[in-house]
Amino acid sequence: MLNNFDKSPIFTPEQVLENRGRVAIFIDGSNLFYAALQLGIEIDYTKLLCRLTGGSRLLRAFFYTGVDRTNEKQQGFLLWMRRNGYRVIAKDLVQLPDGSKKANLDVEIAVDMMALVDSYDTAILVSGDGDLAYAVNAVSYHGVRVEVVSLRAMTSDSLINVSDRYIDLEQIREDIQKTSRSTYTYRPLTSVGLMEQPEDGTLDIIKSSDD
């Protein structure tokens, strides 16, 4: 069920937060990166965790990403994430015939959502991937409320249709974007090679596309 909270909300935003119970967050790292790229912002992952939790009790925040285990910059970013509230689920990149590298983590996200379904009341899925619609529908039958957070232009209608609430990243961009330089900058792995560390001292993090 999709409730339009902008035009005719059944609950106020405050009531929604009060009734979320214990929340579990599932973040598709690649999907979020490309959404942020479209918005022209960089994600502040501390702000993101606070915004998604919204004062509710947090069970766990999962961050799913493809990894190149030989890349020290990326490993540094993932270590920072682990020490700042995230449970990182990493999967080795696979070399494709066209030279690009890819790691699809849809199965891992779906399995974790189902495995913990009796431990949380609200699932917050940060992804627009329609392949996850079946998993969202499945957990909802266990009485779990599902909120989907993603960029509307990159989000499958099938995923929105099975969610209880949809939040467009465009609407919360001010709450989650970096306002100053910080230690880590999240970058994708491309077929042309690894991106270099910029001269201003920020750290490029290499990752894969889950498209």
Side-chain angles (χ1 to χ4, degrees):
M1 179 179 67
L2 176 64
N3 295 327
N4 190 324
F5 281 80
D6 293 326
K7 296 181 180 179
S8 55
I10 297 176
F11 303 105
T12 65
E14 292 76 16
Q15 288 173 321
V16 169
L17 292 178
E18 288 175 0
N19 289 280
R20 293 167 98 199
R22 200 171 192 188
V23 302
I25 301 171
F26 305 88
I27 301 174
D28 179 340
S30 178
N31 195 277
L32 177 60
F33 169 79
Y34 287 108
L37 194 64
Q38 289 294 318
L39 290 172
I41 66 173
E42 289 184 6
I43 301 295
D44 183 315
Y45 287 92
T46 299
K47 288 183 178 180
L48 177 66
L49 188 58
C50 291
R51 180 61 176 80
L52 295 179
T53 305
S56 299
R57 292 180 300 148
L58 176 65
L59 172 66
R60 190 157 290 163
F62 294 95
F63 183 82
Y64 301 83
T65 182
V67 295
D68 176 357
R69 299 187 186 279
T70 65
N71 186 276
E72 294 182 1
K73 295 178 181 180
Q74 185 189 42
Q75 295 304 312
F77 168 76
L78 297 181
L79 178 61
W80 183 93
M81 291 288 279
R82 291 185 178 100
R83 292 180 175 178
N84 287 272
Y86 292 91
R87 175 64 61 89
V88 176
I89 308 300
K91 188 174 184 178
D92 290 340
L93 297 167
V94 176
Q95 184 85 35
L96 300 180
D98 63 2
S100 64
K101 295 183 178 181
K102 181 177 181 179
N104 192 309
L105 285 108
D106 290 348
V107 172
E108 285 79 1
I109 296 174
V111 168
D112 287 344
M113 290 181 73
M114 288 302 302
L116 294 171
V117 72
D118 294 326
S119 301
Y120 60 87
D121 304 294
T122 299
I124 303 173
L125 174 63
V126 183
S127 179
D129 192 341
D131 290 341
L132 293 169
Y134 190 84
V136 168
N137 202 40
V139 299
S140 69
Y141 277 107
H142 285 262
V144 170
R145 173 185 174 81
V146 182
E147 300 178 9
V148 170
V149 182
S150 58
L151 185 63
R152 183 62 186 92
M154 297 174 56
T155 306
S156 168
D157 287 340
S158 62
L159 188 58
I160 295 177
N161 291 341
V162 295
S163 68
D164 295 288
R165 187 188 187 196
Y166 174 71
I167 301 171
D168 191 339
L169 283 170
E170 176 70 47
Q171 297 175 345
I172 63 172
R173 61 183 295 170
E174 299 297 327
D175 299 329
I176 64 174
Q177 68 179 349
K178 289 183 181 178
T179 54
S180 61
R181 291 291 184 181
S182 61
T183 304
Y184 294 111
T185 299
Y186 198 44
R187 301 295 187 196
L189 184 69
T190 67
S191 58
V192 296
L194 303 183
M195 304 182 72
E196 300 296 329
Q197 183 173 337
E199 295 180 356
D200 61 12
T202 57
L203 190 58
D204 289 327
I205 304 305
I206 313 304
K207 70 175 297 300
S208 70
S209 168
D210 290 338
D211 293 340

